């Protein structure tokens, strides 16, 4: 990663300063829930050996709200990829448009998010909603923002949910950069029209990956820097996931050879 994540307050550190207000709000909600002032019933934790996480019988709360970080590409921090022709796609490994032509390399990853109605106890899929998903590349860089990939827009895309409330993206397993547990970002919109107009976000959250899968991926070629970065982190110490990650931990199946499939239920 050319050492850029080891210098001074590097660009990814700005994400934590963005995160702190959200973290404070989430911790306050949990304190209130502990005092029985706020009902907070969640989906069960994801089993990383299965591909179909199920909500608890008692119902489920909305997906925890998280920061979009400093590299959203949704118009809230300079660039806006959502209004560009070509952003609605399932394969996000390649950049699209005339000025970009790069491809993100890495262990293949298929991501399926199941958007469901939290008020129904996660029992009703949200057909016709839309999900904008983005994450860093193997080197820990974000297209549109990071040095060397500002002209690229790979690892970003929008999909409309089907009758099962599902969206599926073809991608690569993200790297681990200093200070953050391996993750991906997503925003949920009420409709595809809202997403491509970059307006009316209903939910913003992040997905976490299990440690054993991260370690297996980072042992493969091209992820060398991620090995060192991951060694000093844990889900419990991460600035985003430390206050609870059970409802954001994806279920993973597959392997480093043919790639992995990650699934997560997203109550909204």
């Amino acid at each position: 990663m050319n050492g850029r994540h080891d210098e001074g307050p590097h660009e990814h550190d700005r994400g934590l300063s963005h995160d702190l207000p959200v973290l404070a709000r989430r911790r306050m909600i949990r304190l209130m829930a502990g005092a029985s002032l706020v009902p907070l019933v969640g989906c069960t934790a994801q089993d990383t050996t299965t591909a179909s996480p199920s909500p608890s019988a008692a119902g489920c709360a909305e997906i925890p709200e998280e920061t979009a970080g400093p590299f959203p590409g949704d118009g809230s921090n300079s660039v806006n990829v959502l209004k560009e022709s070509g952003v609605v796609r399932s394969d996000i490994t390649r950049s699209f448009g005339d000025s970009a032509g790069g491809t993100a390399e890495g262990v293949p990853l298929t991501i399926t998010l199941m958007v469901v109605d939290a008020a129904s106890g996660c029992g009703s899929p949200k057909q016709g909603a839309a999900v904008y998903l983005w994450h860093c590349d193997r080197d820990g860089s974000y297209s549109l923002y990071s040095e060397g990939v500002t002209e690229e827009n790979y690892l970003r895309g929008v999909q409309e949910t089907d009758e099962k409330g599902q969206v599926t993206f073809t991608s690569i397993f993200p790297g681990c950069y200093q200070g953050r547990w391996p993750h991906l970002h997503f925003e949920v919109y009420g409709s595809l029209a809202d997403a491509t107009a970059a307006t009316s976000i209903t939910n913003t959250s992040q997905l976490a990956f299990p440690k054993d899968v991260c370690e297996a991926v980072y042992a493969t070629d091209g992820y060398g820097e991620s090995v060192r970065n991951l060694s000093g982190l844990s889900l419990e110490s991460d600035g985003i996931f430390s206050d609870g990650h059970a409802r954001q931990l994806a279920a993973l199946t597959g392997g480093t050879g043919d790639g992995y499939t990650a699934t997560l239920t997203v109550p909204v």
Side-chain angles (χ1 to χ4, degrees):
M1 300 198 312
N2 301 322
R4 63 178 173 276
H5 295 305
D6 298 328
E7 301 173 356
H10 55 71
E11 59 184 359
H12 290 297
D13 286 335
R14 298 205 309 271
L16 184 56
S17 64
H18 285 235
D19 298 347
L20 293 178
V22 177
L23 293 174
R25 289 196 298 271
R26 288 186 61 194
R27 291 190 176 109
M28 180 60 70
I29 290 173
R30 287 175 182 276
L31 288 172
M32 293 173 68
S36 300
L37 295 177
V38 177
L40 190 64
V41 181
C43 297
T44 56
Q46 313 299 332
D47 180 351
T48 59
T49 63
T50 64
S52 300
S54 300
S56 68
C60 66
E62 288 189 5
I63 191 77
E65 189 75 7
E66 306 288 10
T67 176
F71 314 113
D74 60 1
S76 61
N77 186 12
S78 64
V79 294
N80 191 342
V81 74
L82 294 177
K83 294 185 177 181
E84 295 183 15
S85 176
V87 72
V88 180
R89 60 198 184 130
S90 59
D91 188 342
I92 61 174
T93 56
R94 298 176 180 271
S95 290
F96 63 90
D98 297 333
S99 61
T103 300
E105 302 293 339
V107 171
L109 176 68
T110 300
I111 306 150
T112 296
L113 302 181
M114 293 163 284
V115 183
V116 297
D117 180 22
S120 72
C122 293
S124 300
K126 297 283 285 189
Q127 182 177 4
V131 176
Y132 167 43
L133 180 143
W134 73 97
H135 62 84
C136 71
D137 63 19
R138 182 170 62 182
D139 296 323
S141 299
Y142 283 86
S143 66
L144 301 175
Y145 293 92
S146 299
E147 182 180 357
V149 292
T150 56
E151 298 301 314
E152 303 295 344
N153 53 31
Y154 55 50
L155 306 183
R156 299 177 184 274
V158 175
Q159 283 282 286
E160 183 178 28
T161 58
D162 62 16
E163 66 278 1
K164 297 179 180 179
Q166 294 185 355
V167 292
T168 297
F169 296 91
T170 300
S171 191
I172 56 97
F173 202 94
C176 178
Y177 53 83
Q178 271 191 326
R180 279 305 318 275
W181 187 259
H183 64 283
L184 58 79
H185 298 262
F186 60 91
E187 294 172 343
V188 180
Y189 293 79
S191 68
L192 187 60
D194 285 344
T196 54
T199 185
S200 301
I201 300 170
T202 63
N203 303 82
T204 303
S205 196
Q206 297 183 25
L207 174 153
F209 293 96
K211 181 180 181 180
D212 59 339
V213 176
C214 294
E215 290 176 334
V217 171
Y218 297 159
T220 65
D221 291 343
Y223 287 95
E225 192 72 12
S226 293
V227 174
R228 181 175 68 84
N229 291 333
L230 185 71
S231 66
L233 295 171
S234 70
L235 278 163
E236 289 71 29
S237 67
D238 180 72
I240 293 296
F241 300 122
S242 59
D243 61 345
H245 56 263
R247 290 185 284 127
Q248 294 163 282
L249 188 63
L252 270 291
T253 58
T256 57
D258 295 330
Y260 287 91
T261 295
T263 58
L264 182 71
T265 298
V266 181
V268 299

